Amino acid sequence: MMYIYVLFIGVLVFFFFYKWLDGKFFSLFTNSKKNINFSPEDLRMVYEPVYFKSQDGIELSGWFIPKLDGESDTTVIVGHGAGENKSDALKQTSFLAKYFNLLYFDFRACGESKGKICSYGFYESRDILGAYDFLKTVKIEFARKVGLYSSSCHSFAGVDTFCKTDIDFLILKSPSINFFKFLRKYAKEKIKIPFLPEFFIKKYLKTKDFNLELNFSSNNLNRPIIFIYGDKDEFITLEEFETFYNSVNLPSKNKILLVGGSHFNIPDIAYFSEKLIENLNLIN
């Protein structure tokens, strides 16, 4: 009889532990950043609120900002990173409006966009495709050429979209190379759990592991790509980044190293803008 009680208590403890874990991991995929605390108005920039749908029908919210002086037929789609929304991306990249039109938008379940699950780069490729289709059908005269700025874990979505479309150039800021590895580290930081079983990832995302290197190697790309890396990145070491960068066999690639930069922080915006524009001038 004692064994039955012990077994019952063990099952009960395991059940509640599982429910607690499940709740924690559920919050990881649903509690994305919603508050928009910075807008083009704060920078006195002319902009147009825009709305469009992702490839799978989710309503997304964005800002279209025309080039500050004169006109341009090139638009850069700017995506934010994990745990951020379009207001964060605007703070880091508003200087690009001196040279291009810009389309900022919130990924699904972030900022002012609809959706329930934030998938950290897996489903978000459908969001970028929605932004790209919006430009090519609604903002045609502003988007003869299209660039894509993709950050953090959304680099997975950026590369996937780049491979599926004729986007002219790609900028990868603090790219996450391995999907599961990034999520495990991010879970440790956000929900204070040092492990993330693949079971829970697949439960909410229904996906297998994927990484940037495999995506690059499986596609024949000859369009320019700029990699941006901070040497204080919490999610990938400088050695890992250099190994990845050297393994990517692309005819037109370049990199910008941000000394003191981390995964989500750019310590010197002036230097960052100078180097990025310098690289973009070489490919435009």
Side-chain angles (χ1 to χ4, degrees), residues 12-242:
L12 203 60
V13 168
F14 177 81
F15 173 78
F16 283 109
F17 178 68
Y18 171 83
K19 296 296 289 183
W20 175 78
L21 271 184
D22 192 32
K24 282 283 191 179
F25 292 132
F26 178 74
S27 70
L28 181 68
F29 295 105
T30 55
N31 289 345
S32 51
K33 187 174 182 180
K34 288 290 187 180
N35 296 329
I36 300 295
N37 53 22
F38 191 77
S39 80
E41 290 182 1
D42 296 300
L43 297 174
R44 298 182 179 178
M45 301 173 77
V46 175
Y47 76 102
E48 175 190 353
V50 295
Y51 304 92
F52 52 89
K53 290 187 177 182
S54 67
Q55 193 182 53
D56 54 349
I58 294 177
E59 295 181 8
L60 305 177
S61 171
W63 299 318
F64 181 80
I65 302 175
K67 183 175 178 289
L68 293 183
D69 297 314
E71 297 180 353
S72 174
D73 63 355
T74 301
T75 296
V76 178
I77 300 170
V78 184
H80 59 80
E84 298 179 336
N85 58 43
K86 61 178 180 280
S87 63
D88 300 288
L90 176 66
K91 290 177 185 178
Q92 296 182 354
T93 62
S94 60
F95 63 86
L96 288 171
K98 295 179 182 178
Y99 309 91
F100 310 104
N101 312 304
L102 302 177
L103 175 60
Y104 292 91
F105 74 97
D106 294 314
F107 284 109
R108 61 186 60 207
C110 298
E112 298 173 312
S113 290
K114 304 296 184 181
K116 297 180 180 179
I117 295 294
C118 170
S119 70
Y120 299 98
F122 183 66
Y123 298 133
E124 281 77 5
S125 60
R126 303 169 188 177
D127 301 346
I128 301 175
L129 285 169
Y132 179 74
D133 289 342
F134 168 77
L135 289 177
K136 288 298 187 179
T137 56
V138 179
K139 298 290 185 180
I140 303 173
E141 68 276 19
F142 297 97
R144 306 295 180 190
K145 293 181 67 176
V146 176
L148 174 60
Y149 180 103
S150 198
S151 182
S152 183
C153 59
H154 294 134
S155 299
F156 300 116
V159 172
D160 186 55
T161 309
F162 191 60
C163 294
K164 291 177 178 177
T165 64
D166 59 354
I167 286 175
D168 295 278
F169 59 90
L170 174 64
I171 304 166
L172 294 178
K173 161 66 175 65
S174 300
S176 300
I177 295 172
N178 183 281
F179 185 64
F180 284 175
K181 183 177 180 180
F182 170 83
L183 274 185
R184 290 189 184 101
K185 287 189 175 183
Y186 193 71
K188 184 177 181 179
E189 176 184 307
K190 289 298 180 181
I191 59 177
K192 311 305 179 187
I193 294 181
F195 60 92
L196 178 54
E198 291 186 14
F199 166 78
F200 283 106
I201 298 176
K202 292 176 179 178
K203 175 181 178 181
Y204 292 109
L205 303 188
K206 295 179 176 58
T207 178
K208 59 183 180 180
D209 193 12
F210 61 105
N211 61 65
L212 291 188
E213 186 175 345
L214 287 177
N215 212 335
F216 278 126
S217 62
S218 63
N219 290 275
N220 183 23
L221 299 175
N222 56 9
R223 289 162 285 159
I225 300 181
I226 301 172
F227 296 85
I228 303 166
Y229 173 77
D231 64 353
K232 302 297 182 183
D233 197 304
E234 311 93 312
F235 294 90
I236 175 176
T237 66
L238 179 58
E239 182 180 1
E240 288 174 327
F241 173 77
E242 291 290 352

